[in-house]
Structure formats: structure tokens, C-alpha cells
Amino acid sequence: MARGPVFHAPRAGSPAPAHAATSSDGAPADRRHDPAAVDWEGLRGRLEGTLLRPDDVGFDDARKGFNPLHDDRVPAAVAQCASAADVAEAVVAAGGRVPLAARSGGHSYVGYSAPPDGLVIDLRRMSHVAAAEDGSVSVGAGAPLRTVYSVVGQADRCLPAGSCSTVGIAGVTLGGGIGVLQRKFGLTCDHLTAMEAVTADGRVLTVTASATPDLFWALRGGGGGNLAIVTHFTFATDPAPALTVFVLTFPAGRVTEILTAWQSWIAAAPRDMWANLRISGGSPPTCRIAGCFVGPSTACHPLLDDLVLRAGVVPTGRTVQDRDYFSGMRFFAGKPLRESFVASSRILTTPTSDPQAVTNLFTGRTGITLIVDPLGGAVADTVTAQTAFPHREAFATAQIYASATPASEADVTHKVADVVAGLGALGIGGGYVNYIDPDLPDWPAAYYGPNLRRLRSIAQDYDPDRVFDFPQSLHHT
């Protein structure tokens, strides 16, 4: 396997990496939950950044992610890294001794970015974003999307990515990177040209298609937390387009008609059009369609008129606005700083043949939402085997989402699982790794499909001691 150049090794005085002990059958032994095995003070002294332990001021805030439901996950330490060398120091010092998790935005759906008794490798100090004259953009792995969009937009360029402004660029990209411009410009990972990454043995590599072809392939859709810790991304961008954003709301009780019409309409729409369908449970369920069109509103309105005609349902509300790239991205960014929720996902390989059955799943289930995001267009221009993202030929991704509190979490989790199972019974299987869910049936195949075997092989090559391990890592079945 080709290996990229090592920019720098851990600093002098760093301990040797701990190799993973194994049981007699070759499985990892339970040795990685011993914080006392790590020389925390030695690591603190070698970091350019800051190491926070539970008794340190600022630790409690630093350890918490986006979802308060996971505030009970308390790591042994948080390393606020300032450079790739810091990340390498942290990996060498703690890898094989305690669980490791890289944190960018901290939006892991089930809190994997804060491993109990482990080390959070916090990348948020590495958040510099710079646009170059050749149209490329250099992005630190800790940058949130709002910063990426701001810098890219000021350069009059465009990078397709997610809609939540506080999500970190690393998590979005490593899982593939779906978003409101994907049908026109493709996934976020499709724009990657190079990465800087720290491997399980503490090396810092330049990851490109020519230098490290297997790792470059795997990190484009193989999911965050697997394989290596990416510290820096280089993306190619497109000229910033004029956009039209819109929202159509429909009367309650008309979900079946809207879902039926939306499916045929978006499948036939030009790739300039992206529009998702949001179904909210209730008695009866309600729905709305929101989207982004690459072009002026004068060209968008006729397409929306066609959707309404197909549905035979007059919207109760219709908002259509012309926007530039940056303000267009801000239109979809309405997320709080923190939010308590339970979520999962499915993949529609083709339009559902039974929209009424989907409606029935949400009848009476107040508080649960289905968000269906269309694929197609530029997403399908890249063949499935070309990157680790496996859903190139699918029709849409579906997210099942519900707000919850600590008191209601168990009940809400059960209700979400019921909907996930109901969609599965309708032939809607698979899943999107960025909406990770430990209860999703056969999650390895669901998240990685035909790319699973190759991904596991690459994980074994780059991380044979399972340093980057967690309950849904590539090392697990």
C-alpha cells in the first residue's frame, strides 16, 4: 500500500504508542478504559494547546457536545489541540490505553465524540479557513460550516455541504456530505483534493489520490472516527451561483398526495433543483417542502407551480426568495447552539411505492418528523466504487428525528425505532452514517453497503491495533 510522506512525528520525549492487547481469539481485550495508564501531565507538557482534566476550569464546558442527552458521557480528558503535531502527541500518549475520539462540531447523534473515561481530541482550535486564488479552499478540521460558508462566499466561491451552521466540516465531509446543493454540485467529499491526517501510530500524512489512494478513497464517505484523525482539508470549489430558496406549507391531512407528487416531481426536476419533504407526525400528519434552486426565482416559480399542479393541493403558505450563496446557506441554518433529540435514518433506493403506508406510520405519532432529502443529479455522476459513500444511485436519504428530554428519551427512542422498523417493512432500508444509530438493524451493511469489505480491509491496514475504535467503528460487526 502506498503511504504518504510524514510531515512530523510526535515531539521528543513522547511515549511509544501502546499496542492493543488482544484476547486468545484475537478480539480486543478490555484494556482501554484505564485512564491511570496515561501520563496526562506528560501529555499536558508536550501540547502546544491545552489539556483539560475533570478538576480543571473549563473542562465541563469543553467535554459537552451538541446534544444534552449525552452530557452523562464524561471523558478522562479533553485535549484542545492547536496543530497536527498536538493530535499526534495525543494519539501516541493515549491510544491503546483509553478510547479516543476526535471532535470537530460535536454533533455525533449518539455522543461518540465524548468517550467515557477516554480522551476527546478537540480540533476546534484548528479552524482557520482560507480561500486561494486558484479557487481552492484550505480548511482546518475544527471549522464550523458557518465559518466555511463565510470565507468561501466572500471569495465568490461555492462549496456544497450541510445545512446546520454549527456542524463541523470534518464530520460532514468524512461521512460523504449531503446538503442543499448536492444535486447540482455533488457531495462535500467529491470536492476534496487533499487532507492532512494523523494515523493510529502517530504519523502525520498527506492524504491524496496519488500518495495514499486507499486512505483517500476511504475517508470520502467512510465516516468520522474511523481510520485516522483528519486535521486539515483542501477542497476545490465552484463559482458562487445566484440561488432561490423557498418553503411551501400544505394543509394537514394531505401528506399522501404531497409525497406522491413530490417523488415524481423531484425525480424529473433539473439538477439545479433541490427540495426536501418534511413530514411531521400528528392526527393527521402535516408536511412542508423546502428547497434551494440554483438560479433566479423567475425560473424557480414555474417548477414550483408544476409541483402544486401534480399534487392537486393548494399550499397554505408559499415563500420564495432570491439570495446569494452565503445568505442562501444561512436560510437553512436555523439550529440552536444545543438541542436534545433522538434520530436515525433510512435510504430510499427508489421512490416508495406506497406513500399512504408512509403517512400511516406518522399518524398519531406527534413529535416525530421524517425529513426526506433527494439525491440524484451530480451525486450519481460519481460511481459507487469511486468513493466510500455507498448511496450514489439512491433516490433519497430519510432522517427520522424527534425532540426528547432525559425523562422522555427512552420512550422517544422506542417510538423512533418503531418508525425505522416500519420503513424497513416497506422496503426502505440502509442508512446514512452521519445519522449514526446503534439500534439500526445490520448497521455495517446499512451504512457502507458494497464498500464495507474494502473499508474494513483499509481499517485493518492503517489501524491494526484498533486505536480508533468505538461501538460502531469499522472494526465491529
Side-chain angles (χ1 to χ4, degrees):
M1 176 184 296
R3 302 285 185 175
V6 180
F7 282 121
H8 41 80
R11 301 178 181 93
S14 301
H19 293 288
T22 57
S23 61
S24 59
D25 63 359
D30 227 359
R31 83 287 170 226
R32 286 194 276 190
H33 291 269
D34 183 12
V38 180
D39 178 8
W40 296 113
E41 291 309 309
L43 176 59
R44 191 194 303 270
R46 292 189 298 275
L47 291 180
E48 178 186 353
T50 302
L51 184 75
L52 296 174
R53 297 274 281 144
D55 291 337
D56 293 331
V57 175
F59 171 83
D60 202 49
D61 288 336
R63 71 174 180 84
K64 292 178 180 177
F66 178 73
N67 190 339
L69 292 182
H70 307 305
D71 283 354
D72 59 345
R73 298 174 63 90
V74 182
V78 177
Q80 297 177 320
C81 296
S83 64
D86 274 4
V87 174
E89 290 288 351
V91 169
V92 169
R97 297 175 174 91
V98 296
L100 305 181
R103 171 183 172 153
S104 179
H107 283 247
S108 170
Y109 274 27
V110 290
Y112 288 148
S113 53
D117 293 327
L119 174 62
V120 176
I121 298 177
D122 191 334
L123 307 174
R124 288 176 294 175
R125 291 190 179 187
M126 303 165 63
S127 59
H128 181 70
V129 182
E133 292 185 0
D134 64 359
S136 66
V137 58
S138 171
V139 184
L145 291 186
R146 61 172 177 262
T147 303
V148 177
Y149 288 148
S150 176
V151 174
V152 172
Q154 288 173 23
D156 203 26
R157 305 296 294 183
C158 162
L159 177 68
S163 57
C164 177
S165 64
T166 60
V167 165
I169 187 66
V172 169
T173 305
L174 298 175
I178 65 174
V180 303
L181 295 174
Q182 64 191 16
R183 299 185 80 245
K184 177 66 174 181
F185 297 110
L187 304 175
T188 313
C189 72
D190 296 337
H191 292 254
L192 271 173
T193 59
M195 288 167 274
E196 177 186 71
V198 176
T199 56
D201 55 3
R203 293 176 300 147
V204 182
L205 301 184
T206 300
V207 180
T208 65
S210 58
T212 53
D214 278 354
L215 189 57
F216 185 71
W217 176 88
L219 290 173
R220 291 177 296 152
N226 289 308
L227 301 158
I229 297 178
V230 178
T231 55
H232 183 271
F233 299 89
T234 303
F235 297 98
T237 64
D238 294 288
L243 301 175
T244 302
V245 296
F246 57 88
V247 178
L248 303 180
T249 55
F250 294 92
R254 308 304 295 271
V255 168
T256 299
E257 297 99 310
I258 302 304
L259 174 56
T260 301
W262 174 82
Q263 289 190 135
S264 63
W265 173 78
I266 196 64
R271 61 177 57 198
D272 296 322
M273 174 62 75
W274 177 93
N276 73 356
L277 174 64
R278 185 183 185 103
I279 299 171
S280 298
S283 300
T286 60
C287 67
R288 71 175 190 178
I289 291 172
C292 183
F293 176 72
V294 181
S297 59
T298 52
C300 181
H301 274 295
L303 293 169
L304 300 182
D305 292 341
D306 178 49
L307 169 62
V308 172
L309 182 63
R310 288 173 185 249
V313 180
V314 177
T316 56
R318 176 166 170 160
T319 299
V320 182
Q321 299 175 357
D322 288 284
R323 298 239 177 165
D324 60 27
Y325 165 74
F326 179 59
S327 64
M329 296 304 97
R330 289 184 63 188
F331 180 80
F332 295 97
K335 288 279 189 181
L337 292 177
R338 303 189 79 205
E339 184 174 2
S340 299
F341 67 93
V342 173
S344 189
S345 66
R346 286 293 194 179
I347 304 292
L348 284 78
T349 55
T350 60
T352 179
S353 60
D354 196 346
Q356 182 61 57
V358 174
T359 301
N360 293 344
L361 280 174
F362 290 87
T363 300
R365 286 193 164 103
T366 303
I368 298 184
T369 299
L370 180 70
I371 306 167
V372 189
D373 294 324
L375 297 170
V379 177
D381 289 346
T382 299
V383 299
T384 299
Q386 193 169 336
T387 70
F389 181 81
H391 307 303
R392 295 286 179 177
E393 299 177 6
F395 169 64
T397 60
Q399 181 178 191
I400 304 93
Y401 193 96
S403 297
T405 64
S408 68
E409 180 181 4
D411 182 55
V412 171
T413 298
H414 178 73
K415 291 178 180 178
V416 168
D418 282 347
V419 172
V420 171
L423 292 171
L426 294 174
I428 303 173
Y432 179 40
V433 70
N434 278 356
Y435 302 152
I436 202 161
D437 172 11
D439 297 321
L440 186 70
D442 193 16
W443 58 262
Y447 293 139
Y448 303 116
N451 293 329
L452 176 61
R453 178 173 295 184
R454 184 179 177 190
L455 277 167
R456 281 181 167 158
S457 176
I458 296 169
Q460 177 63 26
D461 287 340
Y462 277 91
D463 186 13
D465 293 327
R466 303 187 178 191
V467 169
F468 300 130
D469 197 9
F470 60 96
Q472 286 182 275
S473 78
L474 287 167
H475 297 298
H476 286 259
T477 58

